[in-house]
Amino acid sequence: MKLAVFDFDSTLMDGETLDIIAKETDYYEEIKKITEKGMKGEIDFFESLTSRVALLEGMKLEKVNEICKSLTIMNGAKETIKELKKKEYKCVCFSGGFKNATSIFVKKLGLDGEFSNIFHTKNNVLTGKVGGEMMFADSKGNMLLALQKLLNISENNTLVVGDGANDLSMFKYAKNRVAFCSKEILKKEANIIIDKKDLRLILDKI
């Protein structure tokens, strides 16, 4: 058995979930700037996440779910997951984003699991608070270690794919480290670099 872990935003999904949701608010430009700084590692991921979610306070959960249902699958994602499964990979998504979106993509892509965050709501309205499994800069690395131990999968049989600073922590524990259309901070730690929006190109490198 092998393990393939994919980031969600701008990796399995073509775009940034919070930025797309923010288009329905007055805070789109502000949220987009914070996203960019977080991706580059210019601000702490937890700070980036909580400050962006705070700006969504008052938004209806129904609207968030409606947006998440319409998110675009990254070019080549379905085919890549299908091929990796043929090669005996367990395919999992780690996302600093939200279950509202990742749970949908699990079904669409046939993933074996997902770990992400949850918007806190009250009376089906976002409170501006967030909780979950992927809130910190080291969350992905810690979860990867836990999965490797649980499934008895070695670093040599682990593939990770991401595009931003919060993917760095899982790069430490994988033989194949893919920077997919990524920020420079991640490219420095990658041994596979893909600069074209087509996940199938990974298959030629592993």
Side-chain angles (χ1 to χ4, degrees):
M1 190 191 298
K2 299 176 183 178
L3 179 62
V5 177
F6 291 83
D7 170 46
F8 182 72
D9 292 301
S10 299
T11 303
L12 289 177
M13 192 273 287
D14 192 358
E16 294 290 322
T17 305
L18 274 174
D19 292 2
I20 295 167
I21 292 171
K23 288 181 180 178
E24 299 294 322
T25 74
D26 295 328
Y27 300 105
Y28 172 66
E29 290 300 333
E30 190 173 346
I31 287 174
K32 188 179 177 184
K33 284 176 186 174
I34 299 169
T35 298
E36 187 72 9
K37 285 184 177 181
M39 292 276 289
K40 290 179 178 178
E42 292 175 2
I43 58 174
D44 175 70
F45 181 73
F46 177 75
E47 182 186 343
S48 163
L49 176 66
T50 53
S51 59
R52 286 178 294 163
V53 173
L55 293 171
L56 299 178
E57 182 182 358
M59 193 170 186
K60 290 183 179 179
L61 179 61
E62 183 182 3
K63 186 62 182 177
V64 171
N65 289 334
E66 183 185 314
I67 293 166
C68 288
K69 284 176 186 174
S70 66
L71 294 174
T72 305
I73 296 171
M74 180 62 73
N75 183 33
K78 284 183 179 179
E79 298 88 340
T80 302
I81 299 299
K82 189 176 180 180
E83 287 303 312
L84 287 173
K85 288 195 154 197
K86 286 181 186 176
K87 298 176 186 289
E88 299 186 334
Y89 278 89
K90 288 288 184 184
C91 297
V92 180
C93 169
F94 286 0
S95 176
F98 303 90
K99 290 195 184 298
N100 312 64
T102 57
S103 61
I104 293 169
F105 272 62
V106 165
K107 294 172 184 174
K108 285 184 176 181
L109 299 176
L111 296 170
D112 294 297
E114 48 92 18
F115 298 89
S116 52
N117 297 319
I118 302 165
F119 289 112
H120 181 258
T121 61
K122 196 170 184 178
N123 300 322
N124 291 317
V125 173
L126 270 59
T127 64
K129 294 181 172 62
V130 59
E133 302 143 343
M134 293 283 148
M135 291 184 62
F136 304 103
D138 60 356
S139 293
K140 293 186 179 185
N142 291 336
M143 187 62 75
L144 177 55
L145 282 174
L147 274 188
Q148 286 172 329
K149 187 174 182 180
L150 182 68
L151 300 173
N152 194 27
I153 295 174
S154 69
E155 188 176 307
N156 281 339
N157 285 324
T158 302
L159 161 73
V160 294
V161 186
D163 73 313
N166 75 317
D167 297 311
L168 278 170
S169 65
M170 65 178 179
F171 270 39
K172 299 174 187 176
Y173 308 115
K175 178 185 177 183
N176 289 317
R177 305 177 300 279
V178 181
F180 181 74
C181 300
S182 81
K183 304 301 180 188
E184 286 301 319
I185 191 170
L186 200 63
K187 284 184 179 181
K188 290 175 184 176
E189 303 300 325
N191 55 10
I192 299 171
I193 296 174
I194 306 290
D195 283 325
K196 184 181 177 184
K197 276 191 177 184
D198 187 347
L199 282 170
R200 288 168 293 193
L201 295 174
I202 293 168
L203 299 170
D204 300 327
K205 306 283 188 179
I206 59 173

